[in-house]
Amino acid sequence: MLKKFIYQAAVLLLILSSIAMANIHHGANDVFELLVYKSPSCGCCKKWITHLENQGFQLRTKDFHNLSDIKNEYGISPNLRSCHTAVTENGFVFEGHVPSKFIKRFLLEEHPKAIGLSVPAMPVGSPGMEVAEQFMPYTVFIIYQDGSYEPYAKVESYDSQFD
């Protein structure tokens, strides 16, 4: 009887440790897919897309000459806009040169009232906006459904943009 109890306890322990390990590694193999709306002539958009692809994202692109309608459709206010807009299948938006590090983090978290993240304008040194050794600190904003926003992350150095 004791042998049977020890055997059952060992099996239960194995099952629980497997579940715990699965939870620890959740997200490690997630595939992140985005549809990127961009201008056909924008070189920095292409560089940002390459940054995301190098980080394992799967991307599709749609070229538009005027992206204002897309940005309006997804609720991105003019002060949070940049040159391209990426959208997940679930409708989360990533406006501008948001580093892949923050997109992944956002998608693995719970944000029931958020629509996505934005890096307004085009900060020098952000992914896709590299210019020699130049870097301009910037803020990644989280955008909420009601149109409000707040800082999500501060990027103080070039290296802090990456995992």
Side-chain angles (χ1 to χ4, degrees):
M1 186 70 162
L2 184 60
K3 275 185 168 180
K4 185 176 180 180
F5 175 76
I6 292 172
Y7 176 77
Q8 289 173 339
V11 168
L12 183 60
L13 186 60
L14 261 170
I15 291 170
L16 291 175
S17 65
S18 295
I19 291 170
M21 289 306 290
N23 286 335
I24 287 171
H25 295 292
H26 174 73
N29 295 318
D30 287 338
V31 175
F32 300 99
E33 296 179 22
L34 296 173
L35 172 59
V36 182
Y37 296 97
K38 66 178 193 60
S39 166
S41 61
C42 184
C44 68
C45 294
K46 292 173 188 169
K47 288 180 181 179
W48 181 76
I49 288 168
T50 300
H51 160 72
L52 290 181
E53 288 173 336
N54 289 341
Q55 297 303 310
F57 282 77
Q58 292 183 358
L59 304 174
R60 291 179 299 124
T61 62
K62 283 194 177 181
D63 289 343
F64 286 85
H65 291 286
N66 181 356
L67 292 166
S68 293
D69 291 341
I70 298 293
K71 295 169 190 306
N72 289 337
E73 177 183 339
Y74 287 103
I76 303 165
S77 64
N79 61 321
L80 295 174
R81 292 181 182 182
S82 186
C83 57
H84 55 266
T85 304
V87 182
T88 67
E89 187 177 273
N90 297 338
F92 288 115
V93 298
F94 301 97
E95 178 69 10
H97 294 266
V98 180
S100 65
K101 167 184 177 175
F102 299 113
I103 296 173
K104 287 178 184 178
R105 181 188 305 167
F106 177 89
L107 290 173
L108 292 172
E109 297 169 341
E110 294 290 324
H111 296 284
K113 296 183 181 193
I115 64 167
L117 300 176
S118 171
V119 171
M122 299 163 69
V124 173
S126 61
M129 289 297 300
E130 294 89 352
V131 179
E133 299 293 318
Q134 297 179 41
F135 178 80
M136 180 173 102
Y138 64 93
T139 301
V140 178
F141 293 96
I142 186 167
I143 311 168
Y144 295 104
Q145 294 166 350
D146 65 2
S148 65
Y149 59 94
E150 65 183 356
Y152 179 77
K154 298 233 185 242
V155 181
E156 301 293 338
S157 68
Y158 179 80
D159 291 336
S160 69
Q161 303 175 95
F162 309 103
D163 289 323

